[in-house]
Amino acid sequence: MRQVLNVDSNYNCFTLEEKAAVVKNAGFQGVDYGLFDMNAPDSTWFQSDWQQNADQIRNAFASEAVPIVQTHAPFSFPEIRDIDTFMEKARPLVVHAIEVSAALGAKCVVVHPIQCIPYKENAEALFRANMDYYRSLIPVCKSCGIKVGIENMFQRDRLRGNRIIHSTCAKVEEFCRYIDTLDSDYMVACLDIGHTVLPTDNAEPWDFIRILGHDRLHTLHVHDNDFIDDRHNIPFSGKIDWYRITEALGEIDYIGDFVYEVLLNSSVPVLKPEMYPAFLSYMASVGQHLVGEIEKNRPLTR
């Protein structure tokens, strides 16, 4: 099982070649590349030479034997407040993110479900909209040879102290319903472990894993928190029981990558870039330990 590091704007203090070397030297085997800069009006991904840019980035990481295996499509569209506007303005950007991801060499791109309206009173409307949305992406995925990872989400209750509440796929039964209804090899589950523990009365993350099972669960977002907010911290720095999670991943014979989604500006906000290599080496050691725990819990017949 490969250990994969999420690379985002935190690493812009390094040149492209330095980024790749830092990831490699820390002990990772792959990269989850964030495409969040696609939201910017002047994004390089909408210039005529975007494919050459993708080639340069792909080759830089591949040359250090840490290929880009996964990406994350842009998801922050605060100005969009209805489904029709989302489909008109956000969907084309996500479609291009799938094309960029394929050019970067990724085999999976994480695409958040539509959740631009309150979930509580609109769960079925969001389900229907997301079925249309994800089905419309399947031909693009087929053309590019890449899968979409659907992620479990949360919303905030603005009237009740901004507390975290359920949203699309936050409940494991609904997550299964999304994957099963789409019924496509190009639509798979990306379980964000940190998100599972945030809405109150939610299933435990190890129950999520067992219910999703081997066939639905394709990839992960691995990070920890305090059960209060979406901290994106390194495992064992919060309250999540990682040994019960690794036990469940082993039991379902999970064969995807071990993909971090740790944010450096949340985990170690005052850490200077010259200390990043040491911190990333520690992250890789933690990941290696957890991967070993997954392997210990696999079925004996494997």
Side-chain angles (χ1 to χ4, degrees):
M1 181 184 296
R2 290 178 298 192
Q3 281 200 77
V4 176
L5 178 69
N6 61 303
V7 173
D8 51 35
S9 59
N10 278 253
Y11 299 92
N12 286 350
C13 53
F14 299 115
T15 67
L16 177 58
E17 291 73 19
E18 287 170 342
K19 289 179 190 178
V22 164
V23 174
K24 170 66 174 180
N25 293 337
F28 293 93
Q29 294 86 44
V31 167
D32 178 349
Y33 197 83
L35 294 172
F36 312 124
D37 58 341
M38 290 184 72
N39 281 46
D42 59 347
S43 172
T44 57
W45 295 116
F46 292 97
Q47 305 300 320
S48 59
D49 62 347
W50 73 265
Q51 288 181 309
Q52 292 95 311
N53 186 41
D55 289 342
Q56 183 182 13
I57 295 171
R58 184 188 70 245
N59 292 336
F61 285 102
S63 68
E64 293 285 353
V66 283
I68 296 172
V69 300
Q70 183 168 298
T71 62
H72 201 312
F75 61 87
S76 181
F77 310 104
E79 74 286 357
I80 295 179
R81 301 290 183 178
D82 64 87
I83 291 168
D84 288 342
T85 304
F86 183 96
M87 292 297 282
E88 176 189 351
K89 295 187 175 180
R91 181 187 174 278
L93 194 153
V94 171
V95 167
H96 189 44
I98 295 172
E99 296 166 341
V100 169
S101 299
L104 289 169
K107 298 304 180 184
C108 182
V109 50
V110 177
V111 176
H112 284 189
I114 300 171
Q115 56 161 357
C116 56
I117 58 177
Y119 171 81
K120 186 175 181 181
E121 58 267 38
N122 296 291
E124 281 303 309
L126 283 167
F127 174 78
R128 293 191 297 271
N130 276 302
M131 291 302 101
D132 291 341
Y133 174 46
Y134 284 121
R135 283 173 179 145
S136 78
L137 299 179
I138 291 174
V140 186
C141 292
K142 287 183 178 179
S143 175
C144 293
I146 192 171
K147 298 177 187 289
V148 157
I150 302 172
E151 184 174 350
N152 51 309
M153 302 308 301
F154 64 85
Q155 290 186 350
R156 296 184 184 273
D157 190 334
R158 308 297 180 188
L159 299 178
R160 295 173 176 83
N162 219 30
R163 73 183 185 189
I164 288 176
I165 55 177
H166 290 101
S167 186
T168 48
C169 298
K171 300 174 183 177
V172 66
E173 296 81 8
E174 183 176 77
F175 206 171
C176 292
R177 182 188 180 200
Y178 268 55
I179 301 299
D180 294 348
T181 303
L182 288 166
D183 191 25
S184 169
D185 291 340
Y186 293 96
M187 296 287 141
V188 297
C190 170
L191 183 63
D192 188 301
I193 294 174
H195 288 180
T196 63
V197 301
L198 293 175
T200 57
D201 75 351
N202 220 21
E204 298 288 2
W206 41 90
D207 293 328
F208 254 85
I209 290 165
R210 291 188 174 99
I211 294 170
L212 281 172
H214 175 89
D215 293 339
R216 296 187 188 95
L217 184 53
H218 180 81
T219 188
L220 303 170
H221 279 167
V222 175
H223 55 96
D224 209 337
N225 61 54
D226 53 7
F227 291 9
I228 297 172
D229 209 346
D230 192 26
R231 307 292 185 190
H232 286 266
N233 290 339
I234 188 170
F236 298 113
S237 65
K239 294 184 176 181
I240 295 175
D241 188 335
W242 290 98
Y243 291 119
R244 296 191 72 176
I245 287 170
T246 52
E247 180 181 32
L249 287 169
E251 285 179 9
I252 70 163
D253 200 20
Y254 172 71
I255 57 173
D257 293 319
F258 187 88
V259 185
Y260 272 122
E261 197 183 36
V262 170
L263 302 183
L264 293 183
N265 55 6
S266 176
S267 293
V268 282
V270 298
L271 193 68
K272 292 184 178 181
E274 54 262 37
M275 282 299 296
Y276 284 7
F279 185 75
L280 294 179
S281 294
Y282 170 66
M283 280 178 58
S285 295
V286 170
Q288 184 178 15
H289 172 65
L290 292 174
V291 167
E293 292 297 306
I294 295 170
E295 297 300 331
K296 282 182 1 185
N297 285 285
R298 289 197 188 278
L300 296 177
T301 56
R302 187 171 185 266

